């Protein structure tokens, strides 16, 4: 049951339950802090982008900026997939479905990373290696949160 899953917002000391994510947080004082239409993957991506134990946030990227970047990045992809499906159902043979879908599905996380790099205060000083290192930590954090394994030495 995901309703008891808790998320910690770094630097603000706020502990949220997933059931809290559909409403604005009174401590954020911003109406755009809303997760009602987010998937589990989008929520995970947002919290990693805002900073977590496995991946620090980029300077200037807080929870609201991370949330907005994730929503915009994933919304673009979902909109394109819906258009692809509609064109396919209409029998539009002129449309190159394979190339367009590949170009759309591959980038959701890449779009998030690109927008994070564009919005950080350090955007002018980040080297290519800095970006590669951050991307690796970012992806490892997502994998850790999405596919965590709990080891209990008493049972195993």
């Amino acid at each position: 049951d995901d309703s008891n899953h808790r998320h910690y917002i770094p630097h603000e000391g706020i502990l949220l339950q997933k059931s809290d994510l559909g409403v604005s947080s009174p401590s954020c004082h911003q109406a755009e802090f809303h997760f009602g239409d987010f998937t589990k993957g989008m929520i995970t991506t947002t919290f990693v982008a805002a900073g977590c134990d496995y991946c620090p946030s980029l300077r200037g990227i807080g929870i609201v900026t991370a949330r907005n970047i994730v929503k915009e990045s994933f919304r673009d992809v979902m909109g394109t997939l819906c258009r692809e499906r509609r064109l396919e159902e209409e029998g539009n043979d002129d449309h190159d479905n394979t190339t367009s879908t590949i170009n759309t599905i591959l980038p959701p996380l890449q779009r998030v990373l690109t927008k994070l790099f564009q919005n950080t205060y350090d955007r002018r000083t980040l080297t290519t290696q800095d970006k590669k290192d951050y991307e690796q930590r970012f992806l490892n954090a997502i994998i850790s949160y999405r596919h965590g394994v709990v080891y209990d030495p008493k049972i195993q």
Side-chain angles (χ1 to χ4, degrees):
D1 180 19
D2 287 333
S3 63
N4 293 327
H5 189 73
R6 296 179 181 268
H7 298 277
Y8 176 73
I9 300 177
H11 312 296
E12 294 199 24
I14 302 169
L15 186 61
L16 298 173
Q17 291 185 355
K18 186 174 181 199
S19 59
D20 297 329
L21 299 178
V23 296
S24 295
S25 171
S27 59
C28 286
H29 304 296
Q30 297 195 27
E32 67 266 14
F33 191 75
H34 180 78
F35 291 89
D37 57 346
F38 271 42
T39 64
K40 290 179 189 178
M42 291 169 71
I43 291 170
T44 302
T45 303
T46 300
F47 283 93
V48 169
C52 65
D53 291 345
Y54 304 112
C55 182
S57 68
L58 295 170
R59 275 186 357 106
I61 305 296
I63 189 66
V64 173
T65 301
R67 180 242 175 244
N68 292 341
I69 286 171
V70 169
K71 182 169 184 164
E72 181 180 321
S73 298
F74 279 80
R75 183 189 63 219
D76 293 348
V77 171
M78 296 311 291
T80 302
L81 290 174
C82 288
R83 283 190 300 278
E84 297 276 338
R85 185 172 295 139
R86 189 175 62 250
L87 288 170
E88 187 177 292
E89 288 171 358
E90 292 171 359
N92 187 340
D93 294 334
D94 297 332
H95 182 68
D96 184 3
N97 194 14
T98 305
T99 302
S100 182
T101 300
I102 288 172
N103 289 336
T104 300
I105 291 176
L106 286 179
L109 288 177
Q110 190 60 51
R111 287 180 189 201
V112 168
L113 287 163
T114 298
K115 290 175 184 183
L116 289 172
F117 296 143
Q118 290 170 347
N119 284 279
T120 181
Y121 294 156
D122 297 326
R123 66 184 156 273
R124 297 192 195 322
T125 59
L126 282 177
T127 66
T128 301
Q129 188 60 47
D130 292 335
K131 291 178 182 179
K132 285 182 182 178
D133 292 345
Y134 180 82
E135 182 175 333
Q136 187 63 51
R137 291 183 79 174
F138 187 92
L139 296 175
N140 286 343
I142 288 176
I143 291 167
S144 295
Y145 286 121
R146 297 285 292 165
H147 305 286
V149 175
V150 178
Y151 175 75
D152 184 350
K154 293 178 186 177
I155 295 174
Q156 305 200 3

